[in-house]
Structures are given as structure tokens and as C-alpha cells.
Amino acid sequence: MATPKDMMTTWDKIQPGAVLPSFEDPEHKVRSKFNSFNYKVADWRVEKPVFNRDLCIDCDFCWVSCPDSCFIVEEVENKRGKKQAKIVGINYNLCKGCGVCVDVCPTPIKSLLMFPEFMDNEEALKQWPTKDDKK
Amino acid sequence: MKKITNLKEFACTPDRFQGGHRLCPGCAHGMIVREVVNATDDDLVISTATGCLEVCSAIYPYTSWDVSWLHIGFENAAAGISGAEAMYKALSRKNRSYNPDKNVKFVAFGGDGGTYDIGFQSLSGATERGHDFLYVCLDNEGYMNTGGQRSSSTPVGAHTTTSPRGRVSYGEKNRKKDLTMIMAAHGCPYVATAVPGTKHWKDLATKAAKAISTVGPTFINALSPCTTEWKFKPEDTTEIADLAVETCMFPLYEIEDGHKLTITYRPKQKIPVEEYLGRQGRFAHLFKPENKWVIEEIQKQIDEYWEYLQRREEAGV
């Protein structure tokens, strides 16, 4: 198999834990080194979407309409014991800032909003519109 | 067949088409492909005809596919996947299959250039031979990867680089080829149309699951709004796709066994086609007074086709 030399490695060079699945990973998944998941397309972005967990109703519309699969999903159990997806954040390495997720968000005050790239997420969350602003 | 009941469960599936590909921001290709490959739990072998999807998802040394993937030419995506399917069948008959317990399904993706025009011969041939595969056409109504030339899928009046608007011309003059009906006439066991987006996500996912589990050649024609060449803002992708359905420009239906037609979504109130055309830059010249007749012509064609679909559904033939 033709691979670039810097990507090839031997058994004695592998760090402990590199082969085992990392359990901190919310998706409990190991990906190959060559998966584009490890590539950054963040330099395409002018505006970034910011996710507000407090307003989210877990409808997962953003997950289904995101072309770059950049929503980090955690699997939880609901009251009836069925598995259910919970959005926990956005992978900013994969997001190109198209804004489809903001467009499809159905909550009365959107739980996803576009903010300038240079702004901190915490600062953006402070500037979030409230119910009174809308009226 | 994977049962898809609601989005909360569907979102738990690990993505088989990962992000980090270089499709344009807001490209509908990503939405459609993700839904199709996540709609099944079986192992997949995928071949992709040359086009936006192929060149953007496999830039060396990275790949976006978490499934077996076959890089193949413009004209032979269906031929390649039918060869893989035939080999798999032959090997499992001889008990030399790599993993005999697992179910392997075959899917081919092609743009409208690689399906309507160039790859049509291989698709038609693979369908005739009766291979067990699904072909998904990502219909963005032109050769968008090479700069927006017209294809036989381009609708009447659209501005493309090879059917430009101007003093003499009002854009594309020929009618869009009706490929879904052509594939149904081949005798495919399952043929359907679909759009991406939040409103019709379940429609697309169930159609994909149904098509993959059906034995024999199946075909899905999915409308894929193109932000760069249709000229709208990236965030409007899902809205444009919904408008195409609501105006009946791209009606949603499925045909089983080559004759049994079912309309899967019926708009409550049909919106005039101006709404859909006005949102896109490629139709902007149609709103000049001298080109108004083209819009009327398009509306007439849509009404006729919608009437035809409804009558055919009623008759059940």
C-alpha cells in the first residue's frame, strides 16, 4: 500500500493507548489516520455557529442537515429506557460555517446562532438574545 | 432493513461519511450521502462516478468514507459496482467470501452528468443484467464540478455557461430529461425521487433503507441544490429543496415493480413556481418583461406533469 513515509510507523513507536479505543471520545470510535476527520477545514470559515445547550430541545435537525457531520452527539437513555441522541457541541475543525444548522433550528429563540470567527464562545453566550429582546 | 422511527434514534448512528471533505459550505451532496449510508447497518461497498462528490471526498492521503470505496471513471460507476457485486456473489457461492456471516450491500453514487448523460449506458446495462445494487443520482442540474455547463437534467430557462442568458437567448431551451420514469421503464423493482433537508429527512432515509434492502437494481433520484452555480446563499439549501417540492418542480414519488406509482408527499397548497425561480440567481433573467412567457411555460409544464402523476397514481398502472 502506498502511504506517505511520515504516516508509516512501527510497533515500537506506538504510544500506549494509541491502538485501544479512547473512552473519552464521545462517539466511542476509533478512526484511521487517513480519515478526513483528522483534517481541518476550519480556515474556510468567516462566521462560526455557537451552540447554546440551555435552549436546545434535542430535535437533532442540525445533525441531519449538517453536510460536514460536525455535531458531536452523545448517546443517552431517556425515561422509557430507549436510546436517544444528545447534542453536546460542535467540532470546529470540520465546520465550514455554512449556517444551515442555524436556519433549521426550530426553537423560538434559536439555540444556534452565527457569531464572528474572532469572538470567544463564552462571550457569544453572554450576548445571546432573550425573550424580551424579541418583543 | 433498518427501522428508522425518529430522528433521536437515527442520530445515534456513527457517521460513515465523515466531515473534513472539501465540498462547498452548504452543499446538499453531504446531507444526501450521509443519510443514505447511515440508513443501513449492513456493510457497504460504494463506487462513485467522477464529479464533485468523488474529487472532494478522497483527496490523498485522506478519505471521508468509513466504508469500502471504489474510485471509478465518469461513465462506469454502475458497471464497476455491478462487477464488484458479481464477484461477491461468485466468491460466496464458492465459500471463499471474506466474511460470509455479514450482509454486504452495493451502492453507486453519481452526479447528474455521470447519470443522465455519460454514465447512462452503464446504468442501463447494469439494470438490464439485474444486479443487486442501489444507484443514487445526486441531481444538481448541470456539470457543476467543471464550472456549470448544461446537462440533460438542466431545467428550461436556467442560465449555465453553455446555455447563457442574453439578448438572443433566455437560457436552456430543452426540457429536463425524466430519468426516474426511464429507470422505472427498465423494470427496476424500486425507483424513487428524494430531496435532502429537515422536512423530508424521513422520506429520504426510509426510501434509502427500502431501496438497499430490495433485491435487484434500484434507483433514487435526489435533488441536490448547488449553492455556487444556482447562486443562492449557503444557508438556504434546505429551503430551496423544500420549495422545489412545494411548487411540484420536483415531486416526491416512488415506483415499485416498474408500474405501481405512489406519491409520497402531497403539498397542501401548490405554491406558484415564481417563488422557487425567484430565489435563485440562475433564473433571475426570467423576471424581465420580455421573458415572462418562459415562466408561464414552466408553470404549464409543471401542472401537466403533476396532473399526470396524480392520474397515474389513481389508475394504479
Side-chain angles (χ1 to χ4, degrees), chain B residues 122-139:
Chain B
S122 71
L123 176 59
S124 181
T127 318
E128 186 211 340
R129 293 190 297 275
H131 291 284
D132 180 11
F133 74 107
L134 160 67
Y135 196 103
V136 182
C137 171
L138 305 162
D139 185 2

Side-chain angles (χ1 to χ4, degrees), chain A residues 2 4 29 31 34-37 39 44 58-61 63 65-69 75 83 85 96 98-100 103, chain B residues 7-9 11-12 15 17-23 25-27 31 34 60-64 66 234-235 239:
Chain A
K29 228 185 136 194
R31 291 190 188 81
F34 307 106
N35 197 306
S36 65
F37 181 80
Y39 187 78
W44 289 33
D58 283 322
C59 65
D60 299 325
F61 277 4
W63 179 86
S65 62
C66 178
D68 297 288
S69 33
E75 210 179 294
K83 66 174 182 180
K96 289 171 193 153
C98 60
V100 171
D103 201 62
Chain B
L7 201 44
K8 287 183 181 182
E9 270 180 50
C12 291
D15 268 312
F17 181 70
Q18 264 302 335
H21 51 69
R22 275 71 129 193
L23 291 166
C27 179
M31 303 178 199
R34 277 183 66 212
Y60 187 79
Y62 293 101
T63 173
S64 302
D66 263 350
E235 65 260 33
E239 274 176 47

